[in-house]
Amino acid sequence: MDRKTYTAELAGLRELRAEITAAEKAVAAARKELDKLTAQRSRRVAGLAGYEGAQAPAVAKASGLSVGDVVRIAPLLDPTPAAVRAAKPDDQAPAAAPAPAPAAAPAAEPTVAVAPPLTRPAAVPEQPTPAPAPAPAIALTAPVPETGPRELPTLPEGPAGARFEAVTTGLSSKRPNFTQQARSTVFLDAAAGVLAVRDQTVRLDLGTRTPGEILDAVLATAPGTERVYITAGAPWHDGAERYSTLKDAVAAWLNTPSDRWTTATGSGRDKLAGHFVHQRQPVGRYAPAAAPDSGTTEIRSMGEWFDPDGADVVTCRQAFTLLWQALRRHWDDAVLMGSPSQTGRDLWSRTIPTTGKWAGGYPVLSEELRGLLHATGGQGRTELILPPRVPEQLPALVEYDRTFAYAKHLWKSPVGTPRRITAAAFAAMTEQEQTKALMSCSHWNIKVTVPAGWNHVGLLPAPVTGDRAWIYPCEPGATFTTWAGGAEVHLALSNHIAPWRVEILGGLLFEDGKPLDEWGKRLKSAWADLTNLSRIHADERQRQAAYLASRAVRSVLLFGLGGFAQRPRLVSGTTPTGEALPPGAEILGQDGQVVTWQRQAGFSRDPYAHPEWAAYVWSGARAALLDMKYRQGKEVIGHAGALHAKPGTVVYFGTDGIALTERQPWPYRGEVGDYLLKGHLTGPVEHPTSQEQYLKLRGLGRAELAEKGADQ
């Protein structure tokens, strides 16, 4: 470096110093304004408690707070039943801990009320985990939830109940008779202003990164573009510090006024209208203001498909190419649509059989039955287990993740019209018939009692109000009523530690079918091809692109399966300020020109609505977090899962993985469903008190394992 360059760099550094000082002042002013707005919000929340019909969940949504935060500000809005509150010695204190259970209570045979007991299998001798030494007595007291129990619907008697054993007339999932059209797609690094289009990259001037400026810059370079994926930069978070919630910031960015662009209204097949407001993966749909019917261009997040994890825009585009190529080997007409969910559903529809019993399509259940499954079929298990059930100081934090987990549970699914099973009908079955019913595709309304002496994690979900929706009671003697899939009920009755008492109150028994089997096999094959490519390719960029593409296949399956659940539609939109909002609209945010809102629109007449499939797979996956069998052919050669770890060592459940305080001898064969060691954080580690803290520790554990290796 010569003197002239040195002097120029010093001058530039002084300018940067001035800019940093100005930015620091702006941040301080913004923080002061944020504190002012936060205090104003608290006053408004407290004021709403004066309205007799005010409800904490509604106030929480409108304010961007959790239900617990709303209740702390306005205790009058506490939705906990009065009887539950009266039972607490103090609203902030946990319930009193029960006396420690005996360390070795004899295991009773599993019992089903008004029915013969189901047989509990003997302990499996080839189980790889050695029998743990007796653990010290642990007070298994879970903190009192912020809100009380939630009552689940049941199957009505008489004519009303017939609708719960019916399908929707004239509605079924049929194989499409058209070829999906591909969209012209480009990839944009909004941080660096680099656009990847076809086989070249172009540097763009994005201005202030508003939607209109991004669209102008992209279409000037790549005319005819219909979809823009943002791989880095997240422009929808620009200026987020000015808003009380991230969702408000995203909504404001999506609706940034533009003379050249307007919100798309949609038309024709698969042409969605309006924006989708999401904190991190929003979708903006725009049309030219001068010709709104001439076409739609979407701005979307690459994070819908996979976490780019620092990959450059060219690598992200290459990952998309590899994904398409891998899918085309299994579907001649495969097309990558806007989201993994749309792509997964479209690919599945092209596996609907053309011969056999279901050649005419799979019938869609009645709206009443879909509503029941929506209310009673929870998704993946997410649970942070707190002291005293685990130590305050963790000796280590070890993370295991099930590889491509849901793909293992697609080989069998419920089909057709279910048969209702009453408590009396179940009691009249033989022991063999009961076991077969539970092992079949089924969904059960049950009353559960945790056995005396139980000192491990909870096995069955219990409904509660509030953000968590489901908890997993494990206190000895705890009793609750819930719904669960047959796999979970059977595990509770036949686990190797101690059987739980389960009273069958009623249930739905489906025909066993394979509607997802072919779809799952093809996706597993595409995933395996990409995973192998990510390990053996000589070029580092190609290896990374193949890995990202394999993650995208996972998203296609995961979100495609979630799409079958077909929750009641949540419609969002915008209305000019001052005009009437649609009935039932909930305001998400507003500026001087438009109000952004959302509202529930009930169940649509969707031919691809199959919540019975999603509920069955989710139930099987939750059961496998507790007990998964390793098989060689039909022979069981080992077990893995939370129930095969020592009591008091399980810290966290996270959909398809668990975290513990010590390593487990679970073999990893690279097959779907296997438990892979994903992270190891050496202790002592302060126990995380929230999911956010856990996720930070999980990241540290993954980094440590990557640095030291699996043999540390």
Side-chain angles (χ1 to χ4, degrees):
M1 177 183 292
D2 57 18
R3 183 173 183 80
K4 183 178 179 181
T5 303
Y6 172 76
T7 303
E9 286 293 323
L10 281 179
L13 196 57
R14 293 188 193 99
E15 292 176 1
L16 183 60
R17 180 190 65 190
E19 291 176 4
I20 290 174
T21 301
E24 287 174 342
K25 290 180 179 178
V27 169
R31 185 174 292 115
K32 183 177 179 181
E33 180 65 15
L34 177 59
D35 292 340
K36 177 182 174 183
L37 293 173
T38 302
Q40 184 181 353
R41 178 174 63 181
S42 296
R43 288 194 298 271
R44 289 192 176 187
V45 168
L48 287 173
Y51 173 55
E52 185 176 347
Q55 294 185 342
V59 175
K61 278 191 175 181
S63 62
L65 297 170
S66 70
V67 172
D69 289 334
V70 168
V71 170
R72 278 189 285 273
I73 295 170
L76 288 176
L77 296 179
D78 188 355
T80 307
V84 176
R85 286 201 302 270
K88 298 184 195 177
D90 185 283
D91 281 346
Q92 303 300 323
E109 287 297 313
T111 49
V112 178
V114 301
L118 299 177
T119 304
R120 176 168 61 90
V124 181
E126 62 272 28
Q127 180 183 331
T129 307
I138 300 174
L140 299 180
T141 303
V144 173
E146 294 175 345
T147 51
R150 172 167 52 97
E151 187 174 348
L152 296 179
T154 58
L155 294 170
E157 300 292 340
R163 291 291 299 159
F164 290 82
E165 298 178 76
V167 296
T168 302
T169 304
L171 190 63
S172 60
S173 306
K174 297 182 179 180
R175 196 183 186 104
N177 56 6
F178 65 92
T179 300
Q180 199 68 253
Q181 297 301 306
R183 302 283 183 89
S184 176
T185 302
V186 298
F187 301 82
L188 175 65
D189 180 339
V194 177
L195 180 74
V197 50
R198 300 182 181 90
D199 58 350
Q200 56 183 303
T201 59
V202 182
R203 189 167 293 277
L204 304 179
D205 180 2
L206 302 178
T208 59
R209 308 202 313 172
T210 63
E213 289 172 303
I214 289 175
L215 292 172
D216 286 341
V218 168
L219 291 170
T221 303
T225 295
E226 298 174 273
R227 188 173 292 138
V228 181
Y229 280 111
I230 305 294
T231 65
W236 39 81
H237 290 164
D238 288 353
E241 68 278 359
R242 301 196 305 267
Y243 299 88
S244 58
T245 69
L246 204 53
K247 203 166 188 178
D248 285 346
V250 172
W253 183 86
L254 290 170
N255 292 294
T256 303
S258 170
D259 294 333
R260 292 171 48 80
W261 298 93
T262 186
T263 302
T265 55
S267 63
R269 188 197 305 272
D270 293 331
K271 295 288 184 69
L272 296 175
H275 307 313
F276 175 66
V277 182
H278 186 277
Q279 290 93 324
R280 290 175 177 80
Q281 289 149 21
V283 180
R285 300 185 179 97
Y286 302 92
D293 296 330
S294 62
T296 298
T297 303
E298 294 182 338
I299 299 178
R300 310 186 72 115
S301 168
M302 193 82 264
E304 292 184 76
W305 293 86
F306 51 75
D307 179 3
D309 194 25
D312 62 37
V313 67
V314 174
T315 303
C316 290
R317 182 186 180 279
Q318 184 60 29
F320 238 58
T321 301
L322 291 175
L323 171 64
W324 177 77
Q325 291 172 345
L327 293 176
R328 289 283 283 196
R329 286 193 283 272
H330 303 283
W331 282 274
D332 293 338
D333 52 357
V335 169
L336 297 181
M337 302 180 70
S339 70
S341 176
Q342 293 170 317
T343 303
R345 191 174 76 169
D346 182 68
L347 293 176
W348 171 79
S349 70
R350 298 172 193 278
T351 65
I352 296 175
T354 55
T355 59
K357 181 176 181 179
W358 305 109
Y362 293 100
V364 174
L365 302 178
S366 67
E367 186 169 328
E368 289 83 352
L369 187 46
R370 280 183 279 153
L372 176 76
L373 289 166
H374 163 61
T376 61
Q379 299 187 28
R381 179 173 181 172
T382 302
E383 181 186 18
L384 177 64
I385 299 176
L386 300 173
R389 291 167 55 191
V390 289
E392 293 276 3
Q393 291 282 334
L394 306 178
L397 188 66
V398 184
E399 179 197 0
Y400 286 90
D401 184 70
R402 294 187 65 219
T403 298
F404 207 19
Y406 285 171
K408 189 176 179 67
H409 303 282
L410 302 177
W411 64 279
K412 182 175 75 171
S413 303
V415 291
T417 307
R419 176 164 60 100
R420 179 175 180 174
I421 306 295
T422 64
F426 188 86
M429 293 180 181
T430 65
E431 181 180 327
Q432 185 177 7
E433 290 171 336
Q434 290 177 348
T435 302
K436 182 180 179 180
L438 292 175
M439 295 298 289
S440 298
C441 297
S442 52
H443 193 56
W444 302 96
N445 185 200
I446 53 178
K447 184 176 181 181
V448 183
T449 301
V450 182
W454 185 262
N455 68 340
H456 221 301
V457 297
L459 304 187
L460 292 166
V464 293
T465 57
D467 295 340
R468 293 180 65 186
W470 302 92
I471 59 174
Y472 293 81
C474 61
E475 300 83 359
T479 299
F480 56 96
T481 300
T482 189
W483 283 79
E488 293 172 280
V489 177
H490 186 266
L491 176 63
L493 289 163
S494 61
N495 74 85
H496 65 283
I497 299 175
W500 286 31
R501 180 175 177 82
V502 177
E503 178 184 350
I504 299 293
L505 305 177
L508 295 165
L509 185 59
F510 291 83
E511 177 183 342
D512 291 352
K514 293 182 174 293
L516 304 178
D517 187 47
E518 181 62 27
W519 180 64
K521 285 178 178 177
R522 296 188 194 185
L523 288 178
K524 281 187 285 187
S525 182
W527 170 82
D529 292 344
L530 291 166
T531 300
N532 290 335
L533 186 63
S534 71
R535 293 169 179 161
I536 65 174
H537 203 287
D539 182 77
E540 182 180 351
R541 171 171 280 175
Q542 288 292 90
R543 288 199 301 272
Q544 186 181 18
Y547 171 74
L548 295 177
S550 72
R551 300 299 293 171
V553 175
R554 176 184 178 275
S555 296
V556 168
L557 188 148
L558 186 68
F559 295 114
L561 179 67
F564 289 125
Q566 205 259 321
R567 305 290 180 181
R569 291 176 300 156
L570 195 62
V571 179
S572 62
T574 58
T575 300
T577 302
E579 293 188 11
L581 299 180
E586 174 190 348
I587 296 176
L588 296 178
Q590 64 184 71
D591 55 27
Q593 297 187 353
V594 297
V595 175
T596 303
W597 49 263
Q598 68 180 14
R599 65 183 178 89
Q600 282 202 351
F603 290 98
S604 63
R605 191 173 168 83
D606 184 353
Y608 298 108
H610 290 285
E612 69 276 20
W613 298 346
Y616 183 75
V617 172
W618 289 334
S619 174
R622 291 194 300 267
L625 280 181
L626 299 167
D627 178 26
M628 191 200 76
K629 297 177 176 62
Y630 289 98
R631 297 181 184 274
Q632 194 167 44
K634 293 186 176 181
E635 182 185 359
V636 176
I637 60 173
H639 292 258
L643 290 183
H644 299 278
K646 296 177 183 177
T649 62
V650 179
V651 178
Y652 185 79
F653 288 95
T655 304
D656 53 6
I658 57 178
L660 309 102
T661 61
E662 58 186 27
R663 293 264 188 119
Q664 303 298 320
W666 302 334
Y668 182 72
R669 306 163 299 177
E671 298 181 10
V672 294
D674 281 4
Y675 279 87
L676 170 67
L677 178 64
K678 201 71 174 286
H680 184 140
L681 184 60
T682 304
V685 179
E686 192 74 25
H687 189 288
T689 58
S690 67
Q691 185 175 12
E692 291 74 18
Q693 288 185 16
Y694 165 75
L695 293 177
K696 289 179 181 178
L697 294 176
R698 186 185 72 175
L700 295 175
R702 291 182 177 183
E704 181 180 319
L705 184 67
E707 180 182 353
K708 296 183 178 180
D711 297 328
Q712 62 173 309

